[in-house]
Amino acid sequence: MKLHLAWPVSVAAAALVLAGCSSSEAGSAEESSSASPTTETTSATATASPEVQKAAEDYKAYATGQIDELVGVVKVFTDAVRANDLQAAQDAYAPSRVPWERIEPLAGLVEDIDGKVDSRVDDFAGEDDPEFTGWHRLEFLLFNQNTTEGGAPFADQLDNDIASLKEQFATVEVTPLDVANGAAELIEEVSEGKITGEEERYSKTDLWDFGANLEGSQAAIDTLKPALQTADPELLANIEKGFADINATLQPLRRGDGWVLFCPENDQYPSPRCPEVTVTPQVVDTLKAQLAGLSENLSQVAGVLKLQ
Protein backbone atom coordinates (compact mmCIF):
# COMPACT_ATOMS: atom_id res chain seq x y z
CA MET A 1 0.00 0.00 0.00
CA LYS A 2 2.77 2.44 0.89
CA LEU A 3 4.63 1.71 -2.34
CA HIS A 4 1.46 2.28 -4.30
CA LEU A 5 0.92 5.65 -2.67
CA ALA A 6 4.51 6.81 -3.25
CA TRP A 7 4.32 6.72 -7.06
CA PRO A 8 1.86 9.58 -7.68
CA VAL A 9 3.74 11.72 -5.12
CA SER A 10 7.00 11.45 -7.09
CA VAL A 11 5.21 12.24 -10.34
CA ALA A 12 3.57 15.28 -8.81
CA ALA A 13 6.90 16.49 -7.44
CA ALA A 14 8.55 16.15 -10.85
CA ALA A 15 5.77 18.08 -12.50
CA LEU A 16 6.14 20.90 -9.99
CA VAL A 17 9.88 21.15 -10.66
CA LEU A 18 9.35 21.20 -14.42
CA ALA A 19 6.75 23.90 -14.03
CA GLY A 20 9.29 26.01 -12.17
CA CYS A 21 7.38 26.19 -8.93
CA SER A 22 9.16 27.87 -6.06
CA SER A 23 10.88 25.78 -3.41
CA SER A 24 8.32 26.91 -0.87
CA GLU A 25 5.52 25.69 -3.08
CA ALA A 26 7.27 22.39 -3.63
CA GLY A 27 7.79 22.05 0.10
CA SER A 28 4.12 22.73 0.66
CA ALA A 29 3.19 20.11 -1.90
CA GLU A 30 5.55 17.58 -0.33
CA GLU A 31 4.11 18.25 3.11
CA SER A 32 0.62 17.77 1.76
CA SER A 33 1.64 14.58 -0.03
CA SER A 34 3.45 13.14 2.99
CA ALA A 35 0.42 13.85 5.15
CA SER A 36 -1.87 11.97 2.79
CA PRO A 37 -0.70 8.41 3.68
CA THR A 38 -0.95 9.31 7.37
CA THR A 39 -4.55 10.34 6.92
CA GLU A 40 -5.33 7.15 5.00
CA THR A 41 -3.55 4.95 7.53
CA THR A 42 -5.42 6.57 10.39
CA SER A 43 -8.68 5.92 8.60
CA ALA A 44 -7.78 2.28 7.86
CA THR A 45 -6.75 1.58 11.44
CA ALA A 46 -9.56 3.46 13.09
CA THR A 47 -10.73 2.26 16.46
CA ALA A 48 -12.80 -0.90 16.19
CA SER A 49 -16.55 -0.52 16.50
CA PRO A 50 -17.98 -0.98 19.98
CA GLU A 51 -19.62 -4.24 18.88
CA VAL A 52 -16.43 -5.94 17.72
CA GLN A 53 -14.38 -4.49 20.55
CA LYS A 54 -16.85 -6.00 23.02
CA ALA A 55 -16.49 -9.30 21.14
CA ALA A 56 -12.74 -9.24 21.79
CA GLU A 57 -13.28 -8.49 25.48
CA ASP A 58 -15.92 -11.21 25.80
CA TYR A 59 -13.81 -13.81 24.02
CA LYS A 60 -10.80 -13.05 26.19
CA ALA A 61 -13.03 -13.50 29.24
CA TYR A 62 -14.21 -16.82 27.77
CA ALA A 63 -10.60 -17.90 27.20
CA THR A 64 -9.62 -16.86 30.71
CA GLY A 65 -12.40 -19.04 32.11
CA GLN A 66 -11.24 -21.95 29.98
CA ILE A 67 -7.68 -21.56 31.26
CA ASP A 68 -8.96 -21.61 34.83
CA GLU A 69 -10.78 -24.86 34.03
CA LEU A 70 -7.68 -26.17 32.26
CA VAL A 71 -5.52 -25.80 35.37
CA GLY A 72 -7.89 -28.03 37.32
CA VAL A 73 -8.42 -30.81 34.76
CA VAL A 74 -4.72 -30.98 33.94
CA LYS A 75 -3.97 -31.41 37.65
CA VAL A 76 -6.36 -34.38 37.80
CA PHE A 77 -4.51 -35.91 34.86
CA THR A 78 -0.99 -35.23 36.10
CA ASP A 79 -1.81 -36.39 39.63
CA ALA A 80 -2.86 -39.75 38.18
CA VAL A 81 0.41 -39.98 36.25
CA ARG A 82 2.46 -39.21 39.35
CA ALA A 83 0.44 -41.77 41.35
CA ASN A 84 1.31 -44.41 38.72
CA ASP A 85 -2.41 -45.08 38.22
CA LEU A 86 -2.42 -46.03 34.55
CA GLN A 87 -6.18 -46.44 34.14
CA ALA A 88 -6.98 -43.15 35.90
CA ALA A 89 -4.35 -41.34 33.84
CA GLN A 90 -5.72 -42.78 30.60
CA ASP A 91 -9.27 -41.81 31.60
CA ALA A 92 -8.21 -38.26 32.50
CA TYR A 93 -6.11 -37.66 29.38
CA ALA A 94 -8.79 -36.58 26.88
CA PRO A 95 -10.82 -34.43 29.31
CA SER A 96 -7.61 -32.65 30.33
CA ARG A 97 -7.22 -31.34 26.79
CA VAL A 98 -10.75 -30.05 26.16
CA PRO A 99 -10.39 -26.48 27.53
CA TRP A 100 -7.09 -26.09 25.66
CA GLU A 101 -8.63 -27.22 22.38
CA ARG A 102 -11.47 -24.70 22.76
CA ILE A 103 -9.07 -21.76 22.86
CA GLU A 104 -5.90 -23.02 21.20
CA PRO A 105 -5.43 -20.06 18.80
CA LEU A 106 -5.75 -17.54 21.64
CA ALA A 107 -3.58 -19.61 23.97
CA GLY A 108 -1.01 -19.61 21.18
CA LEU A 109 -0.67 -15.84 21.60
CA VAL A 110 1.49 -16.75 24.62
CA GLU A 111 4.93 -17.26 23.14
CA ASP A 112 6.21 -20.85 22.83
CA ILE A 113 3.35 -22.39 24.81
CA ASP A 114 1.98 -24.51 21.97
CA GLY A 115 5.37 -26.08 21.31
CA LYS A 116 5.81 -26.93 24.96
CA VAL A 117 2.45 -28.52 25.67
CA ASP A 118 0.92 -29.65 22.36
CA SER A 119 3.66 -30.59 19.90
CA ARG A 120 3.47 -33.99 18.23
CA VAL A 121 6.34 -36.40 17.80
CA ASP A 122 6.67 -35.36 14.13
CA ASP A 123 8.37 -32.16 15.31
CA PHE A 124 11.17 -34.07 17.05
CA ALA A 125 13.84 -36.72 16.47
CA GLY A 126 11.59 -39.38 18.01
CA GLU A 127 9.56 -40.36 21.06
CA ASP A 128 12.67 -40.35 23.25
CA ASP A 129 13.78 -36.85 22.25
CA PRO A 130 14.09 -34.92 25.55
CA GLU A 131 12.61 -31.87 23.83
CA PHE A 132 9.39 -33.81 23.16
CA THR A 133 7.20 -32.79 26.11
CA GLY A 134 3.60 -31.99 26.95
CA TRP A 135 0.40 -33.94 26.46
CA HIS A 136 1.57 -36.01 23.52
CA ARG A 137 4.74 -37.24 25.23
CA LEU A 138 2.50 -38.48 28.04
CA GLU A 139 -0.01 -39.82 25.53
CA PHE A 140 2.76 -41.95 23.99
CA LEU A 141 3.73 -43.38 27.39
CA LEU A 142 0.17 -44.07 28.52
CA PHE A 143 -1.37 -45.48 25.36
CA ASN A 144 1.52 -46.77 23.27
CA GLN A 145 3.77 -48.04 26.05
CA ASN A 146 0.88 -48.67 28.47
CA THR A 147 2.83 -47.33 31.41
CA THR A 148 3.20 -44.29 33.63
CA GLU A 149 6.87 -45.09 34.20
CA GLY A 150 9.01 -42.06 33.45
CA GLY A 151 5.98 -39.82 33.17
CA ALA A 152 6.28 -37.84 36.41
CA PRO A 153 8.81 -35.26 35.11
CA PHE A 154 6.64 -34.59 32.06
CA ALA A 155 3.56 -34.31 34.27
CA ASP A 156 5.36 -31.77 36.44
CA GLN A 157 6.44 -29.78 33.41
CA LEU A 158 2.92 -29.80 31.97
CA ASP A 159 1.59 -28.39 35.25
CA ASN A 160 4.26 -25.69 35.21
CA ASP A 161 3.63 -24.79 31.58
CA ILE A 162 -0.13 -24.49 32.10
CA ALA A 163 0.46 -22.32 35.18
CA SER A 164 2.71 -20.14 33.04
CA LEU A 165 -0.02 -19.91 30.40
CA LYS A 166 -2.47 -18.71 33.03
CA GLU A 167 -0.05 -16.08 34.33
CA GLN A 168 0.99 -14.74 30.93
CA PHE A 169 -2.43 -14.78 29.29
CA ALA A 170 -3.66 -12.13 31.73
CA THR A 171 -1.49 -9.56 29.92
CA VAL A 172 -2.28 -10.72 26.37
CA GLU A 173 -4.16 -8.24 24.21
CA VAL A 174 -6.96 -9.95 22.27
CA THR A 175 -8.13 -8.01 19.24
CA PRO A 176 -11.34 -8.43 17.21
CA LEU A 177 -9.18 -9.87 14.42
CA ASP A 178 -7.86 -12.51 16.84
CA VAL A 179 -11.46 -13.53 17.52
CA ALA A 180 -12.38 -13.85 13.85
CA ASN A 181 -9.16 -15.62 12.93
CA GLY A 182 -9.40 -17.90 15.96
CA ALA A 183 -12.86 -19.07 14.95
CA ALA A 184 -11.58 -19.90 11.46
CA GLU A 185 -8.33 -21.53 12.62
CA LEU A 186 -10.08 -23.94 14.97
CA ILE A 187 -12.19 -25.37 12.15
CA GLU A 188 -9.39 -25.27 9.59
CA GLU A 189 -7.23 -27.32 11.95
CA VAL A 190 -9.86 -30.05 12.13
CA SER A 191 -10.60 -29.90 8.41
CA GLU A 192 -6.99 -30.08 7.24
CA GLY A 193 -5.29 -32.08 9.99
CA LYS A 194 -7.19 -33.65 12.84
CA ILE A 195 -9.64 -35.45 10.56
CA THR A 196 -6.73 -37.74 9.61
CA GLY A 197 -6.29 -38.92 13.21
CA GLU A 198 -2.78 -37.49 13.45
CA GLU A 199 -3.36 -35.50 16.64
CA GLU A 200 -4.30 -38.31 19.02
CA ARG A 201 -2.65 -41.19 17.17
CA TYR A 202 -1.86 -43.18 20.34
CA SER A 203 -5.02 -42.58 22.40
CA LYS A 204 -7.50 -42.33 19.47
CA THR A 205 -9.36 -39.62 21.42
CA ASP A 206 -9.52 -37.23 18.45
CA LEU A 207 -13.26 -36.69 18.75
CA TRP A 208 -12.80 -34.97 22.13
CA ASP A 209 -10.57 -32.48 20.29
CA PHE A 210 -13.04 -32.13 17.39
CA GLY A 211 -15.89 -31.34 19.75
CA ALA A 212 -13.83 -28.82 21.73
CA ASN A 213 -12.63 -27.09 18.57
CA LEU A 214 -16.22 -26.71 17.41
CA GLU A 215 -17.30 -25.33 20.79
CA GLY A 216 -14.48 -22.80 20.85
CA SER A 217 -15.11 -21.64 17.30
CA GLN A 218 -18.83 -21.28 17.94
CA ALA A 219 -18.14 -19.32 21.13
CA ALA A 220 -16.00 -16.89 19.11
CA ILE A 221 -18.74 -16.43 16.52
CA ASP A 222 -21.31 -15.92 19.26
CA THR A 223 -19.35 -12.89 20.47
CA LEU A 224 -19.25 -11.49 16.90
CA LYS A 225 -22.90 -12.29 16.18
CA PRO A 226 -24.32 -8.75 16.68
CA ALA A 227 -21.75 -7.29 14.29
CA LEU A 228 -22.22 -10.09 11.74
CA GLN A 229 -26.01 -9.75 11.91
CA THR A 230 -25.62 -6.14 10.78
CA ALA A 231 -22.80 -6.63 8.28
CA ASP A 232 -23.85 -9.88 6.55
CA PRO A 233 -26.81 -11.77 8.01
CA GLU A 234 -26.66 -14.33 5.19
CA LEU A 235 -23.07 -15.25 6.04
CA LEU A 236 -24.01 -15.54 9.70
CA ALA A 237 -26.92 -17.85 8.82
CA ASN A 238 -24.61 -20.03 6.71
CA ILE A 239 -22.08 -20.26 9.54
CA GLU A 240 -24.72 -21.19 12.11
CA LYS A 241 -26.09 -23.84 9.75
CA GLY A 242 -22.56 -25.16 9.28
CA PHE A 243 -22.11 -25.65 13.01
CA ALA A 244 -25.52 -27.28 13.33
CA ASP A 245 -24.85 -29.70 10.47
CA ILE A 246 -21.49 -30.81 11.86
CA ASN A 247 -22.88 -31.27 15.35
CA ALA A 248 -25.71 -33.38 13.91
CA THR A 249 -23.19 -35.58 12.08
CA LEU A 250 -21.13 -36.01 15.24
CA GLN A 251 -24.05 -36.63 17.59
CA PRO A 252 -24.28 -40.43 17.01
CA LEU A 253 -20.61 -40.70 17.99
CA ARG A 254 -21.17 -39.31 21.49
CA ARG A 255 -20.99 -41.60 24.49
CA GLY A 256 -22.19 -39.91 27.68
CA ASP A 257 -19.92 -36.95 28.36
CA GLY A 258 -17.38 -38.24 25.85
CA TRP A 259 -17.03 -39.87 22.46
CA VAL A 260 -16.28 -43.15 20.74
CA LEU A 261 -12.63 -43.69 19.87
CA PHE A 262 -11.68 -42.33 16.45
CA CYS A 263 -11.16 -45.54 14.49
CA PRO A 264 -11.77 -44.89 10.78
CA GLU A 265 -11.47 -47.44 8.02
CA ASN A 266 -7.93 -47.73 6.59
CA ASP A 267 -6.62 -45.78 9.56
CA GLN A 268 -3.37 -43.94 8.83
CA TYR A 269 -2.41 -44.51 12.46
CA PRO A 270 -3.47 -48.07 13.31
CA SER A 271 -3.73 -48.93 16.97
CA PRO A 272 -4.67 -51.95 19.08
CA ARG A 273 -7.20 -49.59 20.67
CA CYS A 274 -9.15 -49.84 17.42
CA PRO A 275 -10.21 -53.48 16.93
CA GLU A 276 -13.08 -52.29 14.74
CA VAL A 277 -14.23 -49.27 12.73
CA THR A 278 -16.11 -46.74 14.84
CA VAL A 279 -16.32 -43.91 12.28
CA THR A 280 -17.46 -45.06 8.85
CA PRO A 281 -16.08 -43.73 5.56
CA GLN A 282 -19.45 -42.09 4.90
CA VAL A 283 -19.27 -40.16 8.16
CA VAL A 284 -15.66 -39.12 7.50
CA ASP A 285 -16.56 -37.91 3.99
CA THR A 286 -19.59 -36.02 5.29
CA LEU A 287 -17.50 -34.35 7.99
CA LYS A 288 -14.80 -33.39 5.48
CA ALA A 289 -17.37 -31.71 3.22
CA GLN A 290 -19.13 -29.95 6.08
CA LEU A 291 -15.88 -28.77 7.66
CA ALA A 292 -14.62 -27.43 4.33
CA GLY A 293 -17.83 -25.46 3.82
CA LEU A 294 -17.79 -24.02 7.33
CA SER A 295 -14.08 -23.22 7.06
CA GLU A 296 -14.71 -21.27 3.85
CA ASN A 297 -17.49 -19.24 5.45
CA LEU A 298 -15.48 -18.51 8.58
CA SER A 299 -12.56 -17.30 6.48
CA GLN A 300 -14.79 -14.45 5.25
CA VAL A 301 -15.67 -13.08 8.68
CA ALA A 302 -12.64 -10.83 9.18
CA GLY A 303 -13.12 -9.27 5.75
CA VAL A 304 -16.86 -8.78 6.13
CA LEU A 305 -16.31 -7.02 9.46
CA LYS A 306 -13.41 -4.97 7.98
CA LEU A 307 -10.96 -6.22 10.59
CA GLN A 308 -8.09 -6.83 8.17
Side-chain angles (χ1 to χ4, degrees):
M1 177 65 74
K2 290 182 179 178
L3 290 174
H4 178 73
L5 286 170
W7 173 246
V9 172
S10 61
V11 172
L16 286 169
V17 171
L18 289 173
C21 291
S22 69
S23 60
S24 61
E25 290 172 332
S28 176
E30 288 169 1
E31 289 172 4
S32 175
S33 298
S34 64
S36 182
T38 303
T39 302
E40 184 165 332
T41 301
T42 301
S43 175
T45 59
T47 303
S49 74
E51 282 182 327
V52 297
Q53 190 57 50
K54 185 176 186 304
E57 294 166 1
D58 289 350
Y59 200 51
K60 180 171 183 180
Y62 169 79
T64 299
Q66 291 301 307
I67 291 172
D68 289 342
E69 181 181 338
L70 183 65
V71 172
V73 294
V74 166
K75 185 68 161 49
V76 171
F77 170 55
T78 54
D79 279 351
V81 173
R82 283 185 288 263
N84 293 314
D85 189 333
L86 178 61
Q87 187 61 58
Q90 289 178 333
D91 291 344
Y93 171 76
S96 79
R97 290 179 48 72
V98 168
W100 166 268
E101 290 293 338
R102 290 179 182 136
I103 61 163
E104 188 172 358
L106 284 195
L109 296 175
V110 172
E111 188 174 2
D112 298 331
I113 191 65
D114 188 79
K116 291 178 179 178
V117 304
D118 200 32
S119 287
R120 296 186 295 274
V121 68
D122 311 89
D123 301 319
F124 303 95
E127 286 90 353
D128 294 328
D129 188 329
E131 297 299 314
F132 179 31
T133 62
W135 273 295
H136 296 303
R137 178 61 178 261
L138 289 165
E139 181 200 9
F140 170 73
L141 286 174
L142 297 173
F143 297 97
N144 184 278
Q145 303 296 294
N146 289 303
T147 185
T148 57
E149 186 177 349
F154 299 110
D156 292 343
Q157 183 173 346
L158 182 59
D159 281 336
N160 292 336
D161 289 335
I162 296 302
S164 178
L165 168 64
K166 177 179 171 64
E167 179 182 356
Q168 293 185 63
F169 189 76
T171 63
V172 167
E173 179 187 1
V174 176
T175 69
L177 182 59
D178 292 327
V179 182
N181 285 347
E185 288 169 16
L186 283 166
I187 300 306
E188 182 180 359
E189 187 172 335
V190 179
S191 177
E192 298 186 0
K194 290 179 179 174
I195 195 70
T196 67
E198 66 178 12
E199 181 86 4
E200 309 290 358
R201 64 190 66 177
Y202 309 118
S203 65
K204 314 305 288 185
T205 55
D206 303 84
L207 289 173
W208 275 261
D209 293 356
F210 289 12
N213 289 157
L214 280 167
E215 290 167 359
S217 181
Q218 192 156 14
I221 291 301
D222 284 346
T223 67
L224 292 168
K225 188 172 181 177
L228 279 171
Q229 186 62 56
T230 299
D232 194 333
E234 183 178 356
L235 177 62
L236 175 60
N238 288 338
I239 289 171
E240 290 182 326
K241 183 178 185 301
F243 282 123
D245 288 347
I246 294 170
N247 282 319
T249 301
L250 288 172
Q251 183 58 40
L253 304 177
R254 285 192 177 274
R255 294 295 182 272
D257 293 333
W259 302 85
V260 300
L261 297 182
F262 188 68
C263 303
E265 191 171 273
N266 300 318
D267 195 344
Q268 295 181 46
Y269 303 95
S271 165
R273 286 172 60 77
C274 287
E276 61 184 13
V277 171
T278 60
V279 185
T280 67
Q282 292 81 3
V283 169
V284 172
D285 289 344
T286 298
L287 283 172
K288 285 180 177 178
Q290 291 172 335
L291 287 163
L294 178 58
S295 184
E296 171 61 26
N297 285 325
L298 289 171
S299 72
Q300 300 175 44
V301 169
V304 163
L305 295 181
K306 296 180 171 53
L307 303 178
Q308 295 172 315

